[in-house]
Amino acid sequence: MTRKEILVKLRHVMKQASQEHIDWNTVIEDATIESLGFDSLSMLDLIYDIQQEFDIEFEAEELVSINRVSEMVTFLEKNTSP
Amino acid sequence: MKRIRHLIEYAFARLGLAIIDALSYERARAMGIRLADAWFSVDKRRRKTSINNILKTGIVSTAQDAERIALESFRHFACVMIESLKSRELLDEQACGNEIKFDFPNEFKAALADPGQGIILASGHLGSWEAAAQLISRSKPVVGITRDLNNPYTNRLMQKRKPSGDFRLTPKHSADTSRFLETLKKGEILGFMIDQHARDRGMMIDFFGLPAATHTAIALLHLVTGAPIYFGHCKRGAARAFELKVTGPIVRKASGNRTEDIKSILEDLNRLLESAIRNNPEQYLWAHRRWR
């Protein structure tokens, strides 16, 4: 998957897990995870959805320490590459 | 005005603790039961909530039976408080006269013995939950989640009292995801009380056949980490007799349907808690508003 494809898919997954009403198509890589309304509970929802949608296994705490969307995309780029 | 009220409450709390500290466990327990009887007579709101909750569940059908269970429940709660405040004396491994029975499945024993295996332990406000956590923490550290008291002075006072064993409490407000994950990663036990009202962030799950807002974090943590969930509770027999029973594990593979996966785990947990309560209704905290 390209970085752009990952970002598009990630926006979709975030929309499912978040409680916030945001125009998710406008979320840029520079956005912080906190600014998108993820708290401790919705973060667990997000981890579940990422594991399922991207079909990858990872240690949940690796994702929790991430602050920005760009870092999350990089993380997924690394973990989804064959 | 609020500060004055807090200071008055704090003074009473200090006095109460000083009296409890000066008494033996048996005497403190007897005093607690007498106070519970008085509290049951005076606190109409909680008495009514308890009786209504008991009748709602269908455990008994008459108001008279429900009132009897409610009174026992108040006395039981007083005993839980005394056990908590006197835990270092009561649960001391060298203490005389303690009769503690453990009923653990082999998988749980193996998980306790494995230093790298994190465990999610579900329980409810049933039996001697404080004693249970402290007893299990002799085998593996236990982290429980607690809510700070509204009174900051009393809160600080209570936090200074150290429980026995390797049992730590994490305030609910700072119980972020990374703390939960870190506890499991370190091979410790993360304890959850599954019968707390989850307000608008929970999932409606049947509890005694009635929908109750239930916290989802316990199920999600299992699904994303794979740490096994066990259900445990501790029945109190005589004053120093405890019977700790653990069942499980509950293990689920994520199916891709988050809502259904969570629901299925929480339904199992609520059923286990329900069944344990039916066997011991007098030792459940009926005074809290589980169904709102």
Side-chain angles (χ1 to χ4, degrees):
Chain A
M1 277 175 100
T2 65
R3 198 172 170 86
K4 200 176 167 187
E5 285 168 337
I6 290 173
L7 179 62
V8 171
K9 195 167 181 178
L10 182 60
R11 282 180 186 146
H12 168 71
V13 172
M14 284 179 149
K15 187 181 174 182
Q16 280 178 194
S18 172
Q19 308 273 321
E20 297 290 304
H21 299 287
I22 291 173
D23 180 359
W24 290 92
N25 292 325
T26 63
V27 170
I28 54 168
E29 287 203 27
D30 203 33
T32 64
I33 305 298
E34 201 184 351
S35 72
L36 300 174
F38 285 100
D39 61 9
S40 59
L41 189 58
S42 48
M43 197 62 198
L44 284 173
D45 287 331
L46 180 62
I47 295 168
Y48 176 100
D49 289 351
I50 287 176
Q51 285 178 342
Q52 295 302 304
E53 295 285 333
F54 287 86
D55 196 19
I56 50 170
E57 282 182 22
F58 55 86
E59 299 278 353
E61 56 270 25
E62 289 179 65
L63 212 66
V64 167
S65 57
I66 283 175
N67 295 319
R68 288 188 185 275
V69 173
S70 58
E71 295 166 53
M72 207 169 262
V73 174
T74 306
F75 173 84
L76 291 169
E77 217 176 4
K78 223 185 301 173
N79 281 277
T80 51
S81 61
Chain B
M1 194 63 195
K2 196 173 167 186
R3 188 163 178 264
I4 294 169
R5 184 167 55 83
H6 281 167
L7 285 168
I8 293 169
E9 282 172 6
Y10 171 75
F12 274 108
R14 281 206 75 143
L15 178 68
L17 286 179
I19 294 170
I20 288 168
D21 285 344
L23 295 173
S24 67
Y25 164 67
E26 279 73 16
R27 281 181 182 274
R29 186 174 184 271
M31 183 188 78
I33 290 172
R34 279 198 293 275
L35 286 174
D37 286 353
W39 178 33
F40 187 74
S41 310
V42 173
D43 193 342
K44 276 186 189 167
R45 188 172 59 87
R46 284 203 172 78
R47 185 176 67 218
K48 200 174 160 196
T49 302
S50 300
I51 294 170
N52 286 343
N53 280 344
I54 295 164
L55 288 171
K56 256 185 207 173
T57 63
I59 284 178
V60 289
S61 52
T62 68
Q64 199 183 5
D65 284 340
E67 191 170 334
R68 178 188 56 77
I69 291 174
L71 172 61
E72 286 303 324
S73 163
F74 271 58
R75 289 174 175 169
H76 165 74
F77 184 64
C79 292
V80 170
M81 291 294 102
I82 298 295
E83 281 160 15
S84 172
L85 295 170
K86 304 285 280 181
S87 64
R88 292 187 77 80
E89 174 196 324
L90 174 67
L91 303 176
D92 184 335
E93 288 186 67
Q94 311 300 322
C96 293
N98 282 0
E99 192 190 316
I100 298 164
K101 286 184 193 159
F102 296 95
D103 181 1
F104 294 167
N106 288 334
E107 295 95 326
F108 187 67
K109 286 180 194 165
L112 284 179
D114 179 352
Q117 178 65 64
I119 298 172
I120 302 169
L121 185 62
S123 193
H125 292 88
L126 170 70
S128 298
W129 62 85
E130 281 263 347
Q134 295 183 37
L135 287 168
I136 291 179
S137 75
R138 288 178 184 173
S139 307
K140 206 183 241 301
V142 177
V143 176
I145 299 145
T146 183
R147 190 179 77 86
D148 280 344
L149 298 172
N150 293 335
N151 183 329
Y153 306 104
T154 316
N155 194 49
R156 272 198 296 275
L157 179 70
M158 299 311 284
Q159 278 176 352
K160 280 186 195 157
R161 295 181 77 91
K162 298 263 180 273
S164 75
D166 197 346
F167 175 50
R168 307 189 307 277
L169 288 168
T170 292
K172 204 174 178 180
H173 62 80
S174 61
D176 59 51
T177 315
S178 55
R179 276 200 191 199
F180 292 155
L181 295 169
E182 196 186 306
T183 299
L184 294 173
K185 180 86 178 167
K186 276 162 64 184
E188 298 182 341
I189 299 174
L190 187 59
F192 282 91
M193 299 301 257
I194 58 170
D195 53 354
Q196 285 174 330
H197 185 70
R199 300 176 194 278
D200 57 341
R201 294 300 301 272
M203 190 179 273
M204 296 309 282
I205 304 290
D206 276 4
F207 186 51
F208 285 98
L210 302 162
T214 308
H215 285 288
T216 57
I218 186 169
L220 278 163
L221 277 166
H222 167 64
L223 291 163
V224 302
T225 67
I229 306 180
Y230 288 88
F231 173 79
H233 72 284
C234 180
K235 181 183 167 185
R236 186 194 309 105
R240 286 178 177 269
F242 299 100
E243 196 181 324
L244 225 122
K245 188 176 169 66
V246 168
T247 47
I250 291 176
V251 179
R252 292 281 197 294
K253 267 285 209 200
S255 70
N257 186 333
R258 174 160 41 89
T259 305
E260 281 306 314
D261 286 349
I262 294 170
K263 192 171 170 236
S264 148
I265 293 169
L266 297 182
E267 281 175 347
D268 275 5
L269 288 172
N270 272 4
R271 268 195 295 269
L272 286 168
L273 177 59
E274 240 185 80
S275 157
I277 294 170
R278 283 185 195 281
N279 290 331
N280 259 303
E282 293 85 1
Q283 292 193 16
Y284 188 61
L285 181 65
W286 292 106
H288 93 121
R289 294 190 302 134
R290 184 67 187 94
W291 300 275
R292 294 185 203 176

